[in-house]
Amino acid sequence: PTAAPATYLVRRGDTLWGIAERELGDPLRWSEIFQLNEDRAQPGGVTLTDPHWIDPGWTLLLPATITPEPSPSGSVARPAPSPTTLPVPTTVPPSTSPPATTPASTGAPATTTPTEPSTTTAPHRVDTAPVDRSGEPVRLPSGSVVAGSFAAGVAATIAIGRLRRRHAYRYRPPKPGRTLATEPARPTIHHLRQAATATAPFDGSRPVPAMPVGEEERIAEPGRLDVASRGDEVVTIELADLSGVALDGPGVDDIARALVAALLVRAEPGAAEVLLTDDLAGRLLPGLAPDRAVRRVATTDQAARAVESERVARSRRFDAAGAADAAQFRAENPENPLPLLLVLLDALPAESLGRWAALVAGAPRLAIAVIFLAPSPIATGQLRVDAGRRVLDATPVDRVGALLGTQLFGLRADEATEVLAAVAEAAGEGDLDEDVFATNATVVPLRADGPSTDDPPTENPSESWPEPSPSLSPNGSGDRQAERPITVRMFGHFEVAVHGQAVVTGLRSRARDVFAWCLLHPEGATSDEAVDALWPDTAPGRVHGQFWRSFSDLRARLREAGGGDLEVLAKAGEHYRPCGSEIACDLWEFQAALGEAARTDDPEVARAALRRAVEVYRGDLLVGTDRPWIEPVRQDLHRRSLDAHLRLAELEEQTGRPDAAAEVLEQAVARDRYAEKPYRRLMVLHAAHGDPGAVTDVWRLLQGRLGELDLDVEAATANLYRQLTADPERRPTPDRVRLPR
């Protein structure tokens, strides 16, 4: 049996290829979707004429698909109910998020919601495989407690933000070096990321880490938050159900901060707003920079005017759409999300009580939640808590009774400000060069002749990368030094081998950290500098002991592995340098190759050196290791690798090796899914050698990958694609194609 054709609402980042893969199970059926919708009218009077260009908001007909036969037992799968606002909190089940459903509507055309295919096809969107939300609550060192889903959301938001900044990559000629910047101290973020990794590890099978819930749920139900715990169970509530409730007790401010942070982390950008007076914002979130999601007004009267304006505007939108409430409006207008407005109020002047009572009435229907942070005569409910945020009283029972006896989540002022600042920073799309921790960066160039370990360190540290070993160089020449006994790989996962035997056990984390940090600083550093970077909370009197315990662990384990009397670090004055005569390190080989390519005027020498650099770069620095001192240099080296790939491809093409150039560019887009420059170079290369089909394949690949991060293709890339795929009579010759910077 066949089903009648369904419809699909186009979203940002969609392609016909991706829609066919998700909805029909076969990406090659994109042509059927195109034929079915060609010249069909779309909003704005436009029509589909080019299969490579579809716009958000269009409704596409999908070809009929084969429906599965009933199971032998005769049972029929029932459709999931429409999303509804729960009147009381419910405990989160141990399963993942429920499948997307199509809410019932009156007269609206039926649409299908993108779902993850049941096959093992790699996903194409960030939100298609939610992680487990049922982990235990996360307890921070300060005593604050938050939901595991909140920790996962913070970690994913920051990770996705960094990937988005890679999208803004701009090429520069490759040269050696690395940044000595340090990431700002963010202990709360560090603990949350560690907790998220422990409860929902990212195994690398997905292109980007997933948020705890899918994109559609984050838009349709932005206020559905994990707000409390009962033992190890997490309790969830719709935030709008707390509208009109007064919080009373010594832990109220911490609870309010947790609600604000959880809302802004869960909701899609633009799907939630917070309204505060200046005084209350200064008390709850001191030092928080201005942010679009947190609106501030001077007085409660101005806050009342803002809420009145929102009520009028939202009521008109509901009337125009024929929607009874926010849930129906969001379901029937997914392309026009209605943000949840959270209003936090302290004590109100007596003369404004009547005005606010009118505003509170009916607020949940309009996706407005007004919560009082002190007892109020106009409150419609109350949660009384103790100093530990334990709910001692919850009235009325039919609305908030399920919270009785739970411990509400809470955050201190510094913790909430740190989280919100990191989330706002992740929303930026600047180049990696403009990263916040690049402002204090010292990018150190390569010295052609590094000093020996007997030379005293210079006052202004300069690069002294030891001579690379042929054991790590794919094209190592025989005239280099003999293979060194200790081999370290820092690109990809950290690996150490002694005389060819991998050291897989017994190397403690602090020993690995001190070894990796010293290898990143071949110019030498003092024990104070090492401990300050690795363990900044170490008491002054314990600095030397901490360094020597870690160093002793490292030396003992390497000797047990067959290293004998090999030395790892050599001392020169107060500085310690890794022993270049005993250690072969892929990072050093990478730097030496970049240096050789930068110094030579011979294209063949440069090509060979860059070939060594891109082959030794197996992956990002110290994959799987999350330390504040790693991230800045990891991003810096990632960029240098891209620079090396692009320059190598250029040299390969100039010397008549187009296939080799294409291979290098394909490696570049595999290393970085989101930087557009390698895709542009690859499209131009294919066009120059008469392969328009390959140009289109690269274009589709880029569209699909940027859709994973909800990013649009840059205008320069789109214009380039149009030029390269234009009518042959109007298509510019390859030597006249202007490649965007």
Side-chain angles (χ1 to χ4, degrees):
T2 59
T7 60
Y8 179 87
L9 184 66
V10 177
R11 306 180 189 281
R12 289 184 61 188
D14 276 342
T15 63
L16 294 184
W17 178 280
I19 295 171
E21 183 176 35
R22 289 193 304 272
E23 301 300 316
L24 307 179
D26 183 359
L28 297 178
R29 297 186 67 187
W30 68 267
S31 59
E32 298 178 36
I33 303 178
F34 174 70
Q35 293 170 5
L36 197 59
N37 293 275
E38 187 175 10
D39 295 327
R40 184 168 172 268
Q42 298 291 346
V46 296
T47 58
L48 175 60
T49 58
D50 186 336
H52 307 310
W53 298 96
I54 56 177
D55 291 335
W58 286 11
T59 300
L60 302 179
L61 296 175
L62 299 181
T65 58
I66 302 299
T67 45
E69 294 291 337
S71 61
S73 62
S75 61
V76 179
R78 298 182 179 180
S82 302
T84 57
T85 302
L86 299 179
V88 295
T90 58
T91 302
V92 178
S95 61
T96 56
S97 301
T101 59
T102 304
S105 60
T106 56
T111 61
T112 60
T113 305
T115 57
E116 183 73 0
S118 59
T119 66
T120 56
T121 304
H124 283 257
R125 292 187 65 83
V126 176
D127 63 314
T128 51
V131 299
D132 189 6
R133 302 173 53 194
S134 61
E136 296 181 358
V138 175
R139 290 168 173 79
L140 300 176
S142 65
S144 298
V145 183
V146 295
S149 61
F150 174 73
V154 170
T157 298
I158 293 174
I160 292 171
R162 285 175 175 161
L163 293 176
R164 282 178 170 170
R165 286 198 294 277
R166 289 185 175 184
H167 171 245
Y169 160 81
R170 296 292 181 268
Y171 169 78
R172 62 190 178 192
K175 60 182 180 180
R178 49 60 174 128
T179 177
L180 296 181
T182 55
E183 194 174 17
R186 289 177 171 171
T188 304
I189 298 297
H190 181 66
H191 284 292
L192 292 175
R193 285 164 59 180
Q194 282 189 320
T197 302
T199 58
F202 175 48
D203 60 7
S205 61
R206 294 182 55 79
V208 292
M211 293 293 293
V213 293
E215 178 182 327
E216 278 113 12
E217 187 176 351
R218 296 174 68 198
I219 295 174
E221 296 181 303
R224 189 164 182 79
L225 307 179
D226 297 334
V227 298
S229 63
R230 181 179 284 106
D232 288 337
E233 293 183 338
V234 175
V235 179
T236 302
I237 193 171
E238 170 57 51
L239 188 58
D241 290 340
L242 293 181
S243 186
V245 171
L247 305 179
D248 181 22
V252 164
D253 283 2
D254 288 353
I255 296 169
R257 296 185 192 101
L259 290 176
V260 170
L263 175 64
L264 297 184
V265 167
R266 173 191 164 93
E268 274 284 295
E273 298 176 351
V274 179
L275 180 63
L276 300 168
T277 63
D278 288 335
D279 289 343
L280 192 55
R283 189 179 93 199
L284 295 178
L285 304 168
L288 182 66
D291 182 63
R292 289 180 298 177
V294 181
R295 296 166 54 186
R296 300 184 183 185
V297 292
T299 64
T300 55
D301 284 342
Q302 292 182 6
R305 285 197 292 271
V307 175
E308 288 167 345
S309 177
E310 285 288 341
R311 285 177 62 96
V312 171
R314 295 179 183 220
S315 295
R316 289 174 177 171
R317 291 174 69 182
F318 286 10
D319 291 342
D325 55 24
Q328 183 181 357
F329 181 87
R330 288 172 177 148
E332 297 176 0
N333 300 272
E335 77 289 349
N336 186 18
L338 183 73
L340 173 67
L341 177 60
L342 171 62
V343 185
L344 296 180
L345 297 173
D346 203 356
L348 293 171
E351 60 272 16
S352 66
L353 292 178
R355 184 182 188 183
W356 277 105
L359 293 176
V360 170
R365 183 183 74 88
L366 300 172
I368 300 175
V370 181
I371 298 178
F372 301 95
L373 304 186
S376 174
I378 62 172
T380 59
Q382 177 176 277
L383 292 175
R384 186 166 58 86
V385 299
D386 60 16
R389 303 183 306 280
R390 184 77 56 186
V391 179
L392 306 177
D393 180 47
T395 55
V397 174
D398 61 337
R399 288 182 56 200
V400 293
L403 292 175
L404 184 64
T406 65
Q407 183 187 29
L408 295 174
F409 296 139
L411 284 171
R412 296 188 323 191
D414 58 327
E415 295 166 339
T417 301
E418 180 184 326
V419 168
L420 293 179
V423 170
E425 174 190 311
E429 297 181 8
D431 193 354
L432 282 175
D433 277 353
E434 302 167 0
D435 229 346
V436 62
F437 42 71
T439 57
N440 63 338
T442 303
V443 178
V444 188
L446 176 73
R447 275 186 51 175
D449 53 341
S452 70
T453 55
D454 296 329
D455 295 334
T458 58
E459 293 182 2
N460 183 16
S462 61
E463 214 61 55
S464 56
W465 303 104
E467 181 72 15
S469 167
S471 64
L472 283 173
S473 174
N475 301 313
S477 57
D479 59 351
R480 293 192 174 184
Q481 298 179 24
E483 181 176 347
R484 300 183 177 99
I486 301 175
T487 302
V488 185
R489 297 190 183 274
M490 300 182 69
F491 290 125
H493 292 281
F494 188 60
E495 298 175 4
V496 181
V498 178
H499 295 302
Q501 297 298 316
V503 179
V504 295
T505 60
L507 194 60
R508 303 179 66 177
S509 60
R510 67 184 184 186
R512 286 198 307 269
D513 286 352
V514 77
F515 196 16
W517 191 87
C518 288
L519 292 172
L520 281 169
H521 297 76
E523 72 280 357
T526 66
S527 58
D528 286 2
E529 291 171 336
V531 173
D532 186 56
L534 297 171
W535 308 287
D537 297 330
T538 303
R542 303 183 59 189
V543 168
H544 295 292
Q546 179 77 303
F547 178 81
W548 279 109
R549 278 192 298 273
S550 305
F551 175 59
S552 298
D553 289 344
L554 171 65
R555 183 167 53 182
R557 182 65 189 95
L558 295 183
R559 287 180 175 177
E560 290 174 3
D565 294 329
L566 295 175
E567 286 297 336
V568 180
L569 297 180
K571 187 175 182 181
E574 295 299 320
H575 284 62
Y576 296 88
R577 293 193 183 115
C579 294
S581 60
E582 309 284 0
I583 301 171
C585 179
D586 56 354
L587 170 63
W588 299 349
E589 169 69 17
F590 177 77
Q591 296 286 1
L594 292 185
E596 184 177 351
R599 290 191 299 269
T600 185
D601 294 327
D602 187 336
E604 280 300 316
V605 174
R607 187 181 66 84
L610 290 174
R611 174 64 65 177
R612 293 201 311 272
V614 301
E615 288 179 350
V616 80
Y617 192 94
R618 301 181 306 153
D620 283 349
L621 184 76
L622 301 175
V623 169
T625 304
D626 182 17
R627 300 286 190 275
W629 54 272
I630 294 176
E631 194 59 37
V633 68
R634 175 185 288 154
Q635 300 293 354
D636 179 79
L637 293 173
H638 174 89
R639 179 184 184 117
R640 292 177 193 275
S641 169
L642 282 185
D643 294 337
H645 277 82
L646 291 180
R647 178 56 179 158
L648 175 59
E650 190 176 61
L651 291 173
E652 295 284 16
E653 187 178 14
Q654 289 174 359
T655 53
R657 302 178 179 91
D659 291 342
E663 181 182 357
V664 172
L665 290 173
E666 288 168 357
Q667 291 174 1
V669 300
R671 294 279 183 223
D672 194 311
R673 302 171 63 88
Y674 311 112
E676 292 194 30
K677 185 72 170 181
Y679 292 91
R680 292 198 287 250
R681 290 276 185 92
L682 191 55
M683 287 194 296
V684 170
L685 180 65
H686 287 315
H689 294 86
D691 193 349
V695 174
T696 298
D697 289 342
V698 174
W699 167 256
R700 288 176 179 166
L701 180 64
L702 174 61
Q703 281 188 307
R705 287 182 170 179
L706 293 186
E708 296 166 358
L709 297 180
D710 197 24
L711 292 173
D712 292 325
V713 178
E714 292 180 356
T717 307
N719 291 334
L720 175 65
Y721 174 70
R722 290 192 184 97
Q723 291 181 52
L724 299 177
T725 56
D727 188 319
E729 295 183 359
R730 295 181 297 163
R731 185 184 306 161
T733 58
D735 60 334
R736 301 194 62 182
V737 173
R738 184 176 180 182
L739 186 65
R741 292 180 60 82

